[in-house]
Amino acid sequence: MQKLSKRLQAVARFVTCGSLVADIGTDHGYLPVYLVQSGRCPGALAMDIRQGPLQRAREHIAANGLEALIKTRLSDGLEQLGADEAQSVVIAGMGGLTITGILGAAGELLSHIRELVLEPQSDTGKVRKFLRLHGMYTDMEELVLEDGKFYPVLHVVKRDWPSALREGPVMDVLRKKMPEPDRLEELVDQYGPCLIGESHPVLGQLLERDWNVKQEILRSLAESASESSGKRRQELERQLTDIRILRETLERV
């Protein structure tokens, strides 16, 4: 059986059993091999924009005798994916802006996909905002800490946001402490409605990391008198205040 890292295990768990899956940016093809070997998926497409990774995936798929069940395809994002070829699409191990670029270029194809499983490695808040503004929402999230790095994993479906995601004791307290809707929306985009609502056990560690990083940046700007530095300090102070509010809320609710 193919072994996966903790982050890819989390990705695999979010792929619905029985679905055909397209793995975008497949690299070595570890994920589709695992999904088919484990019986979670009856078949898969391993797709990549570069021939080198795609060739490594082909070799790995062949070594496991899965050529009949896992096909490889050269593709820039979802460009070469047919409308009925996959119910599940995985985009993992890429920067958030790359992911939003792929989704933005997909157009009508997204309406044919039942679920997205995304694992952005940067700009996660921008990914969540993009999804929210395009009629998609994250109904399940995981946050993995592996080798000192944090990996958010998002299960995304295309439908209206249910009110349940905006309810619950944590969100109720946050609304009272942060009455500005845009400011609260930014915080929820950054750290995830499900992770916040469920008080995910790893979220506190991520908040501590972000608090320390922003404090260090703030200290480095302390002696600068430029206008841009002043605006950056104000932004950091606001973000630190919001992180403090979220940390205190998670500890008390």
Side-chain angles (χ1 to χ4, degrees), residues 144-158:
V144 175
L145 177 58
E146 185 173 28
D147 298 329
K149 295 182 179 180
F150 294 93
Y151 299 99
V153 182
L154 288 62
H155 181 268
V156 180
V157 291
K158 190 171 178 62

Side-chain angles (χ1 to χ4, degrees), residues 8 13 65 70 88 110 138 146 151 172 192:
L8 284 183
R13 285 195 297 271
I70 304 175
S88 304
L110 290 180
T138 307
E146 185 173 28
Y151 299 99
D172 288 345

